[in-house]
Amino acid sequence: MPPPRPAESRSDAELVRVNRGFYESLWAAAKLIGPERFNTWPLLRGLAAAAPRRLEVAPGLRPRLPLDGTCFVDLSHAALRRLHASGARAVHGMIGALPCADASFDLICALDILEHVADDDSALAELARVARPGAHVLLSVPLHPEAWTAFDDFVGHCRRYEPARIVAKLALHGFTIEHSAVYGMQPKSSRLLDLGQWYLIHRRERAMWWYNRVFMPLSLCFQKPLQWHEGLDHAQDVDEVLLRCRYRPAAQPSH
């Protein structure tokens, strides 16, 4: 098992290339799946209804917030075209330089993003910039560097987080974790993972067809219900977590 590659070892340009190469192919052959189809919907529906100004960063074609009334920012032109065709407001951009005004949003969703960027502090600073004080911010991250696999590297991950590290890093930017939920699990079969990766490398078009037409629909049918837990104390054996944070900026010093 290769060790995790530190963020400093991968430039933003390299990460953009890796992520664009993987996800642009994925979204070019995929259909948009509405947020109500995902097991995140029961947890996010009430938050979305109570937030008049919403942002979702890099949803691809798997948005978790309502299409109506949410601003979507994504790097993939294929995803943006399909979001536009569904009536969504979607603009091109990256988490490190969001095309949004300061203090614009009451609810921000950025799932499976932080592990993909070299400078996660800059990404969190951008989320803090566009969040209103008191805003809810939803993030998901993979945990435990020792759980690293070749697939993490293949899909463009920079890192996995130790639970204490992500708590401290979020706090530095004004985010407090209020609740978390077990969000994803590493496949138990390394052989199956290796087979899937081989097909993605050597038979990309065929692998994407099977994923979009067979495996993704099946996975939607077998999703497990998610449940909020207070804080992040339950994450010792968890592969990935969904975090519900509250943004409370530090008070500015008076002059």
Side-chain angles (χ1 to χ4, degrees):
M1 179 187 300
R5 298 177 64 181
E8 293 78 12
S9 71
R10 310 187 78 179
S11 68
D12 282 331
E14 181 186 0
L15 289 165
V16 168
R17 178 186 59 78
V18 171
N19 286 304
R20 181 175 285 160
F22 181 82
Y23 289 101
E24 193 71 14
S25 297
L26 176 64
W27 303 139
K31 294 181 180 179
L32 188 146
I33 299 175
E36 68 283 350
R37 299 283 306 280
F38 292 98
N39 60 356
T40 49
W41 182 240
L43 300 186
L44 308 189
R45 177 174 47 197
L47 291 172
R53 294 183 290 184
R54 304 184 300 268
L55 169 69
E56 186 165 357
V57 183
L61 295 179
R62 310 289 186 258
R64 305 309 170 92
L65 296 182
L67 294 179
D68 185 22
T70 301
C71 175
F72 298 97
V73 175
D74 205 286
L75 185 65
S76 167
H77 291 287
L80 291 173
R81 285 193 295 270
R82 285 177 168 78
L83 287 167
H84 279 301
S86 298
R89 176 190 170 200
V91 295
H92 186 263
M94 298 177 61
I95 193 171
L98 294 169
C100 309
D102 295 357
S104 298
F105 300 104
D106 308 289
L107 175 62
I108 298 173
C109 185
L111 304 188
D112 302 314
I113 307 301
L114 287 183
E115 66 271 21
H116 286 271
V117 296
D119 189 349
D120 54 353
D121 281 305
S122 291
L124 289 170
E126 269 294 272
L127 294 180
R129 180 183 68 80
V130 301
R132 295 184 66 197
H136 282 102
V137 178
L138 301 159
L139 305 167
S140 68
V141 294
L143 298 177
H144 310 303
E146 65 274 14
W148 187 269
T149 71
F151 191 74
D152 287 287
D153 194 57
F154 178 71
V155 298
H157 290 176
C158 282
R159 67 189 70 79
R160 286 172 168 267
Y161 291 91
E162 290 290 358
R165 180 188 177 193
I166 190 63
V167 171
K169 185 175 285 286
L170 289 169
L172 286 174
H173 294 278
F175 300 110
T176 301
I177 298 173
E178 294 186 333
H179 293 85
S180 62
V182 178
Y183 182 55
M185 293 297 293
Q186 186 74 23
K188 295 184 182 298
S189 171
S190 60
R191 184 173 299 177
L192 184 61
L193 193 65
D194 291 342
L195 180 63
Q197 185 173 330
W198 186 91
Y199 269 93
L200 283 168
I201 294 172
H202 300 285
R203 300 286 189 274
R204 173 67 64 90
E205 185 175 343
R206 188 172 185 83
M208 292 297 184
W209 187 94
W210 275 94
Y211 176 80
N212 286 313
R213 304 293 182 88
V214 180
F215 297 126
M216 187 64 197
L218 282 174
S219 69
L220 291 172
C221 296
F222 292 101
Q223 294 177 99
K224 295 181 179 179
L226 301 181
Q227 181 179 354
W228 287 127
H229 302 270
E230 289 191 16
L232 193 55
D233 294 335
H234 63 100
Q236 184 171 353
D237 299 317
V238 174
D239 185 74
E240 187 175 6
V241 287
L242 174 66
L243 305 173
R244 191 176 94 189
C245 307
R246 184 79 74 151
Y247 176 60
R248 295 185 177 91
Q252 296 297 318
S254 57
H255 298 282

